[in-house]
Amino acid sequence: MNDGFTCPISDPGNEIIELAHGGGGLLMHRLIDRVIRPAFGTAADDAAHDGAVLDIAGARLAFTTDSYVVRPLFFPGGDIGSLAVNGTVNDLAMCGAQPLYLSVGFILEEGLPIALLHRVAASMRTAADAAGVRLVTGDTKVVERGKGDGLYVNTAGVGAVRSGVTLAPHRVRPGDVVLLSGDIGRHGIAVMAAREGFGFEGDIASDCAPLAATVMRLIDAGIALHCLRDPTRGGLATTLVEIAQASGAGIRIDEAAIAISEPVRGACEILGLDPLYVANEGRFVAFVPSHAAADALAVLRDGPGGASAAIIGRVEPGGRTVLLDGLLGGTRALDMLSGEQLPRIC
């Protein structure tokens, strides 16, 4: 008998893709775990990293790919071209690899000015030169007017993993210290302000930048790195939750230690956003043994953009949770967003 009640549990057969499935939060992870990973036979540990580390003919190579659909195409501090190069370079660096080669795939919408494509391509070349990588192969496709939002970019990258280096969430262990390489939230707010025409007090530019040189300096300094991750989609909070769940450990973070510029903090307050969930494109978190924390922090602060690098927390036994000790006292658990705060930012 049907008395007008409906089941609150969704039927997977009737589900559709939503914007939030690409936002780095809970829906995206469910999509990967329920559809993509089982279809490809990928182990959960493999899916929890920024790239794949492959043993090929005695060499350890990192391989990664990403697609970029940012709007607007140009924003303070970067553009879709520099974002595509740096994002892929950074994913390789998070695997402990020296980035070497990139591919690029352009999906162009009919009617796109060729001068704009030239500008994006030139930006990619500049970013690649700065990161020490070569763009060596690619592809171009054109879709009908109104079907491509101007320009989408896909990049894939290959890098050589440094000898003796293994970075992965499963290597995180109780007693590790959590370091953050700089202030957070600038990329997401810069893109949103450019898209919506908001004028905030103070200049807010994306932190879009290559991270490989800083990572290589950490390795060269002999720092015993356990895990690295760049907090892009979903921001710092989502990244920490991912690592806690993959490692089986708990993570406790001190909110007062997390650097957030006053313009970004003010913009987030006006917009009702939590900066811990706002995307970054030139920052990373590092998990290191406690005895190496001071040396790692010195390396981070000596690098570009590292003036506000800080120790922000510690790994604790068990729990698979992230606890945040707040600015005003009290502790709260961080979780992944069920939706997304800022669509189309990377």
Side-chain angles (χ1 to χ4, degrees):
M1 182 176 66
N2 187 340
D3 293 323
F5 294 103
T6 58
C7 177
I9 301 175
S10 63
D11 176 3
N14 293 328
E15 287 183 298
I16 61 172
I17 294 296
E18 304 172 17
L19 280 175
H21 280 104
L26 188 60
L27 285 182
M28 188 190 80
H29 285 81
R30 285 179 177 171
L31 185 69
I32 292 171
D33 288 340
R34 296 178 181 179
V35 179
I36 297 173
R37 185 166 57 81
F40 294 162
T42 306
D45 285 349
D46 294 335
H49 211 346
D50 281 320
V53 175
L54 311 171
D55 291 311
I56 301 176
R60 295 176 69 223
L61 299 178
F63 177 57
T64 190
T65 186
D66 209 339
S67 298
Y68 299 85
V69 295
V70 67
R71 180 169 56 85
L73 299 176
F74 299 88
F75 48 84
D79 57 76
I80 193 171
S82 60
L83 179 64
V85 170
N86 290 330
T88 303
V89 164
N90 293 347
D91 282 348
L92 293 171
M94 297 303 102
C95 297
Q98 176 67 58
L100 298 173
Y101 304 106
L102 302 183
S103 71
V104 56
F106 291 114
I107 299 177
L108 311 174
E109 183 182 351
E110 179 186 18
L112 181 78
I114 291 178
L116 189 149
L117 176 60
H118 186 277
R119 184 178 170 192
V120 169
S123 176
M124 295 187 75
R125 172 61 187 274
T126 299
D129 289 346
V133 296
R134 290 182 58 205
L135 294 156
V136 294
T137 189
D139 183 54
T140 303
K141 292 292 187 295
V142 178
V143 298
E144 296 174 2
R145 191 182 300 266
K147 300 288 181 67
D149 207 18
L151 168 66
Y152 299 149
V153 179
N154 171 272
T155 45
V158 175
V161 180
R162 285 293 189 91
S163 176
V165 174
T166 300
L167 305 178
H170 69 79
R171 297 198 66 229
V172 170
R173 59 200 63 177
D176 280 358
V177 169
V178 187
L179 296 98
L180 177 61
S181 68
D183 63 309
I184 64 169
R186 288 200 280 126
H187 176 72
I189 297 301
V191 171
M192 185 175 187
R195 178 191 304 155
E196 305 298 340
F198 294 148
F200 296 118
E201 250 187 71
D203 294 328
I204 302 176
S206 170
D207 61 351
C208 183
L211 299 171
T214 299
V215 172
M216 295 306 117
R217 282 196 297 272
L218 287 169
I219 294 172
D220 290 340
I223 306 298
L225 301 172
H226 287 167
C227 183
L228 302 177
R229 184 65 62 85
D230 55 336
T232 53
R233 288 179 298 174
L236 176 63
T238 297
T239 295
L240 294 173
V241 172
E242 289 174 349
I243 293 173
Q245 293 180 352
S247 67
I251 301 173
R252 182 175 290 271
I253 300 298
D254 178 9
E255 187 175 11
I258 299 171
I260 305 171
S261 72
E262 286 306 314
V264 168
R265 190 182 299 278
C268 286
E269 290 176 356
I270 291 170
L271 298 171
L273 302 175
D274 187 338
L276 295 179
Y277 291 92
V278 176
N280 313 273
E281 287 293 344
R283 300 289 181 258
F284 66 97
V285 289
F287 290 76
V288 304
S290 58
H291 66 80
D295 289 340
L297 182 60
V299 173
L300 292 178
R301 288 183 172 172
D302 192 45
S308 57
I311 294 171
I312 64 168
R314 185 173 295 273
V315 180
E316 300 178 335
R320 295 178 180 268
T321 58
V322 179
L323 299 177
L324 181 77
D325 294 329
L327 289 169
L328 303 178
T331 300
R332 65 183 174 103
L334 299 180
D335 204 349
M336 296 183 189
L337 292 176
S338 58
E340 60 178 345
Q341 290 195 116
L342 297 171
R344 305 291 301 279
I345 55 176
C346 57

